[in-house]
Amino acid sequence: MSGDPLLVERHGAVALLTFNRPDKLNALTSALRRAFLAALSDLADDDGVRAVVLTGAGRAFSAGLDLGEIAASGASVEANVGAENMVDAISAFSKPIIGAINGIAVTGGFEIALALDILLVAEEASFIDSHLRVGITPGWGLSQRLARAVGLSRANELSLSARPLGAEEAVAWGLANHVYPPADLVPAALSLAQQIASHEPGGVRAMKALIRSGFEATLEAGLRMEDTAARVANLAVAPEAVAAGFTRARAQ
């Protein structure tokens, strides 16, 4: 339904998930986070689904957490999102997930993109780590995964400056695989997903797990450090500070 925060479509053995809050740049409300977690749980148990494509409606993949919702809640960032960790759900999902990054992927949206297995990007896509700008410590893995994806110096540049990383540069830096015109992005992602889905599912899951476990052999300790830092830092972030950061972000 058009009013649902997350759309789920079936294309044969491939599921297409679409963040569906285009008027809010697909900001991740609690309702959207819960819908995403429920959808992944259902797809994990569906033997008819062998691969997933994740994209966003409108001009954004996702602008990250809905800071307005968090500010209005009167609770800390950790209290709002601790139980609805979308990246943990992605990491636990055994089937391949291809990101079709159609527009901006900011902060939490960037963290989600980093957790996916393959990234394809539209020409106008960009990635922004605005944690410092908003005053929130990464809690979904960005401080550890970004450096592993693009290198330490480049990760420092992106996170400390909060500058956008455009589509062509993302491919040149090894963050994304290919750039497409906007109209071709999702069809290309679905085609790749169908190619993956044509293989024996047990073998695909085993290969995915083997590749990722080797690549992330030292990631667990880093994620534990980030989680500890985020729980302490974000617990101390008052709603008023989030509201002020939200206002500044909107003005920029």
Side-chain angles (χ1 to χ4, degrees):
M1 296 174 60
S2 60
D4 292 339
L6 181 75
L7 302 181
V8 182
E9 304 174 37
R10 287 288 298 270
H11 296 259
V14 176
L16 173 63
L17 305 183
T18 305
F19 296 143
N20 188 40
R21 302 186 69 226
D23 56 325
K24 300 296 183 181
L25 300 180
N26 297 318
L28 305 170
T29 59
S30 179
L32 176 50
R33 297 194 302 271
R34 289 195 305 270
F36 181 79
L37 267 57
L40 279 196
S41 178
D42 290 343
L43 294 173
D45 294 333
D46 188 340
D47 291 338
V49 172
R50 297 187 175 187
V52 174
V53 173
L54 176 62
T55 193
R59 62 189 182 92
F61 175 70
S62 173
L65 295 176
D66 191 311
L67 300 181
E69 180 185 68
I70 292 174
S73 74
S76 69
V77 173
E78 177 59 30
N80 273 272
V81 304
E84 298 166 352
N85 191 315
M86 298 171 71
V87 169
D88 277 356
I90 292 168
S91 298
F93 192 72
S94 64
K95 302 172 186 181
I97 308 180
I98 298 172
I101 312 301
N102 55 298
I104 59 170
V106 182
T107 314
F110 196 173
E111 294 190 280
I112 289 170
L114 284 168
L116 303 177
D117 298 302
I118 299 169
L119 292 185
L120 308 182
V121 293
E123 292 167 338
E124 67 267 35
S126 63
F127 302 87
I128 305 171
D129 179 11
S130 64
H131 281 96
L132 281 179
R133 183 184 297 165
V134 178
I136 298 175
T137 300
W140 285 356
L142 186 142
S143 71
Q144 304 302 303
R145 288 191 173 94
L146 181 57
R148 287 164 171 79
V150 303
L152 181 62
S153 180
R154 287 170 169 171
N156 278 327
E157 177 185 341
L158 293 177
S159 292
L160 300 181
S161 71
R163 79 160 177 89
L165 178 72
E168 295 288 351
E169 195 174 17
V171 171
W173 282 16
L175 178 65
N177 294 46
H178 306 286
V179 180
Y180 296 93
D184 297 340
L185 175 66
V186 171
L190 290 172
S191 177
L192 178 57
Q194 294 285 5
Q195 185 175 355
I196 292 170
S198 70
H199 300 299
E200 196 277 319
V204 171
R205 289 195 297 271
M207 181 66 76
K208 169 182 167 171
L210 182 60
I211 291 170
R212 186 165 288 269
S213 63
F215 182 73
E216 297 181 346
T218 63
L219 180 60
E220 184 178 357
L223 290 175
R224 285 200 301 269
M225 288 188 293
E226 183 194 81
D227 182 67
T228 299
R231 287 178 184 276
V232 173
N234 292 339
L235 193 62
V237 178
E240 295 79 10
V242 175
F246 180 52
T247 300
R248 288 196 303 272
R250 290 188 64 184
Q252 293 175 350

